[in-house]
Amino acid sequence: MAKLSDLIRPDVRARHAYQVADATGLLKLDAMENPFPLPAGLRAELGANLADALYNRYPDADPKGLKALLKSFMGVPDGSDLLLGNGSDEIIQIVAQALAQPGASLLSVEPAFVMFRLLAESCGLQYHGVPLQADFSLDLPAMLAAIERTQPAVIFLAMPNNPTGNLFAAEAVRTILQATPGLVVVDEAYYPFTDSSYLGWLPEYPNLLVMRTLSKLGLAGIRLGFLAGAPALLTELDKLRLPYNLSVATQVIASTVLSAPEALRQQVALLRAERTRLAEALVRLPAIQVFPSEANFLLVRVPDAPRAFDLLKQHGILIKNLNHAHTLLRGCLRITVGAPDENDRLIAALTLALADAG
Ligand SMILES: *Cc1c(COP(=O)(O)O)cnc(C)c1O
């Protein structure tokens, strides 16, 4: 008799579950979270609004007020609509599902955000990843050759890129937008930490979609992301969205916090200053390379990344070891920028770890 697990698609059985490191008791500098809680006044207001919300009813399936708030808060140009997702991960999945015709493919760069590949494959799209150059800039000739060869239904580019932290040259992105027969999704998950954005390009390029999330801004726990772009395209994608994908609580929290955005703006300004301070402190350590970052994390290269990772963990600090993530990331660690005292702890522990390695 066949095993019940044989009912599961072979490619699914061959997969590994998405790994989330156990951070119990550790200082969590591994997941690009904002380290600051919301201020007390805003939390009190949230408490009141959440107490009044109706949990016996299904959530608003098309929250027009929240969309309008997001559009003005983010500066989405007139003429573009929004598709809201339970995190931007869900939006990547919707795009991949919608485009998964036989033979269709998703193109991205390597190293990039791993969900591009994972969701392409789980939705039945072929995945192609074009390696970045050693300094993590875009290899435009290789991208254009891959576009020509694979005719991708969609290209995903995160800017700033995760896990490298850099932006790609805008003129290279323009060339790609003009050369590709398909869609280009620019993933701006780290938009709070950079002054660059492609939202302003939406009216000019009908094949461009810009994706953002509230996660890195400071609301990773509520799961809210959006895709901005041409209404006709979003209307098609919206047919694959589950009807009640944003909970009542998510909608209440997002509306309350975005109506009083000053608190998050101050936190972001502090994190941007801390990014500079942390980079300047780390660059002074022996045998370390600190890559420039426009995001809320720093990518660094050290002589023995697994050892530095372990020593930091012994000091109660969890970061991300990327040593085996990609050949271009040999020796690399990704460190989320934390609160000032957290960054001090990281600097002290990494100083010890690298002195020890000396
Ligand atoms: C963190 C991250 C996301 C995930 O965002 P969610 O809205 O939390 O699902 C998307 N893209 C990139 C590049 C990220 O680093």
Side-chain angles (χ1 to χ4, degrees), residues 87-89 113 158 162 187 189-190 213 215-216 223:
S88 42
D89 288 348
F113 186 45
N162 173 13
D187 178 352
Y190 297 96
T213 172
S215 294
K216 310 301 163 34
R223 313 299 301 128

Side-chain angles (χ1 to χ4, degrees), residues 265-343:
R265 288 213 174 99
Q266 282 175 16
Q267 292 177 354
V268 164
L270 179 51
L271 289 171
R272 287 172 78 142
E274 279 295 299
R275 171 179 67 198
T276 306
R277 185 178 75 90
L278 184 59
E280 286 172 359
L282 295 185
V283 109
R284 284 191 226 109
L285 300 183
I288 195 172
Q289 186 180 5
V290 181
F291 292 94
S293 172
E294 296 265 324
N296 63 340
F297 61 85
L298 293 176
L299 185 75
V300 302
R301 178 173 280 133
V302 297
D304 188 344
R307 188 153 185 281
F309 174 84
D310 287 342
L311 287 169
L312 285 179
K313 207 164 169 184
Q314 283 167 27
H315 281 92
I317 303 174
L318 182 66
I319 60 168
K320 181 82 175 171
N321 178 11
L322 295 168
N323 192 48
H324 292 300
H326 191 272
T327 49
L328 288 170
L329 295 172
R330 274 297 134 72
C332 287
L333 302 167
R334 191 189 62 198
I335 302 165
T336 304
V337 178
D341 59 316
E342 298 175 343
N343 298 331

